[in-house]
Amino acid sequence: MNDTNFDGRARKFADNIYGTSKGQVREAVLWHQLQHRFLPRLGQGDRVLDAGGGQGQMARRVAAAGYPVLLNDLSAEMLSMARQRADEAGLASRFQYQQGAIQQLPQQIAHPYQGVVCHAVLEWASDPQAVLAALAQCLAPGGVLSLAFFNHLGAEFHNLVAGNFDNLGEAMTNRKTRRVRMVPHSPLRNEQVIEWLEALGLQVEHQCGVRVIHDYLRDKSLQQSQLERLIELELAYCERVPYRDMGRYTHLLVSKPEQN
């Protein structure tokens, strides 16, 4: 099975994800993590690699904060949309673009990066371990990785409260039970991803959940009518156990030790 390429679906993806409250909440929580935990670890002028960065929502925020960005994605259509929006935002000079698989990046970049971002990619990959191995190679010693992925526990709990009792456990990755093309088909277990990272010699410094409240609201109208307050609460609860572990996505701040 190949990694998912969103050519032909980029516009639909933008509408179904980034054009909704769930996308706005996800972006708000992830940007908060970048602002307070990721960017302060970088030096002035340090380059950032956004691997699988899609339409560049997070990359534009990073670039606007003053950091040059290499935006990578498998989809040419995604990168075209990202380039157009970066140009419209007056950020063209801070961007470079590279189309292709993340697994190929270690052979394509000239130097490792002090900052690497990879959000909502692992769950679309046929071999997430290979993606993590490539990210580790792209990360410079002393560098920091912002990693977010679709959380298996959150996906399972969402199916439970929704009454999708035939779509639990390993069934969530079974082709026969996949119902929505825009929903990731391979949620990952937090403990498994952390184990893979540690096996690569990386250190997990911080964990939080993304959308720990939004998707579980009984009254879905509150997702829009109370969005500002909802985001405040998401930020307040995203690092608290057990809410952290139930988020639809998990965010990890990961570092690569300095070489001795």
Side-chain angles (χ1 to χ4, degrees):
M1 182 172 59
N2 296 324
D3 295 346
T4 300
N5 188 324
F6 285 96
D7 279 345
R9 292 185 285 166
R11 176 60 58 186
K12 183 177 181 181
F13 192 88
D15 294 340
N16 287 11
I17 304 297
Y18 299 113
T20 66
S21 60
K22 64 182 178 181
Q24 291 171 291
V25 170
R26 187 174 85 181
E27 188 172 343
V29 175
L30 291 176
W31 177 238
H32 185 269
Q33 294 298 314
L34 288 181
Q35 278 185 303
H36 294 277
R37 299 185 181 278
F38 178 83
L39 294 181
R41 301 282 290 275
L42 303 181
Q44 186 175 8
D46 276 347
R47 302 172 306 145
V48 173
L49 167 65
D50 191 349
Q55 297 165 30
Q57 282 84 355
M58 207 57 62
R60 287 194 298 279
R61 289 178 178 265
V62 172
Y67 299 91
V69 177
L70 173 62
L71 180 59
N72 153 268
D73 202 84
L74 190 60
S75 166
E77 188 175 339
M78 286 283 202
L79 287 181
S80 177
M81 294 173 67
R83 185 190 297 270
Q84 178 182 348
R85 293 174 182 179
D87 292 351
E88 292 170 350
L91 297 169
S93 64
R94 295 181 184 170
F95 272 91
Q96 293 181 318
Y97 301 90
Q98 195 277 339
Q99 182 191 354
I102 292 173
Q103 297 91 319
Q104 299 170 347
L105 281 173
Q107 291 74 46
Q108 295 173 334
I109 61 174
H111 305 284
Y113 285 70
Q114 285 299 125
V116 176
V117 175
C118 185
H119 293 168
V121 174
L122 293 184
E123 60 269 20
W124 299 105
S126 59
D127 185 352
Q129 279 187 273
V131 172
L132 290 178
L135 294 174
Q137 293 180 66
C138 292
L139 188 62
V144 63
L145 163 67
S146 173
L147 180 70
F149 55 89
F150 198 52
N151 175 20
H152 189 282
L153 188 60
E156 190 166 50
F157 187 63
H158 185 265
N159 282 332
L160 282 168
V161 298
N164 298 328
F165 301 144
D166 61 341
N167 195 16
L168 301 171
E170 298 307 316
M172 289 191 294
T173 61
N174 188 317
R175 287 178 180 271
K176 293 181 180 179
T177 58
R178 296 176 196 166
R179 296 176 178 177
V180 184
R181 294 183 70 197
M182 291 293 117
V183 175
H185 50 67
S186 298
L188 294 110
R189 299 180 186 275
N190 295 335
E191 62 275 14
Q192 180 68 84
V193 174
I194 292 172
E195 181 180 318
W196 289 339
L197 291 166
E198 291 176 344
L200 291 166
L202 304 178
Q203 298 177 350
V204 177
E205 298 188 1
H206 184 264
Q207 177 179 339
C208 81
V210 181
R211 300 209 316 259
V212 301
I213 305 166
H214 175 280
D215 294 31
Y216 306 121
L217 286 172
R218 292 184 179 181
D219 183 353
K220 300 301 182 185
S221 69
L222 297 176
Q223 294 173 344
Q224 285 293 344
S225 65
Q226 295 291 316
L227 180 59
E228 184 175 346
R229 177 59 174 152
L230 180 56
I231 289 174
E232 291 177 358
L233 290 169
E234 290 278 355
L235 295 175
Y237 280 83
C238 68
E239 299 175 4
R240 300 186 193 179
V241 177
Y243 312 104
R244 177 195 75 177
D245 300 321
M246 303 301 294
R248 297 304 304 280
Y249 287 80
T250 295
H251 178 266
L252 301 176
L253 186 77
V254 184
S255 62
K256 188 172 189 176
E258 295 276 6
Q259 292 176 337
N260 296 326

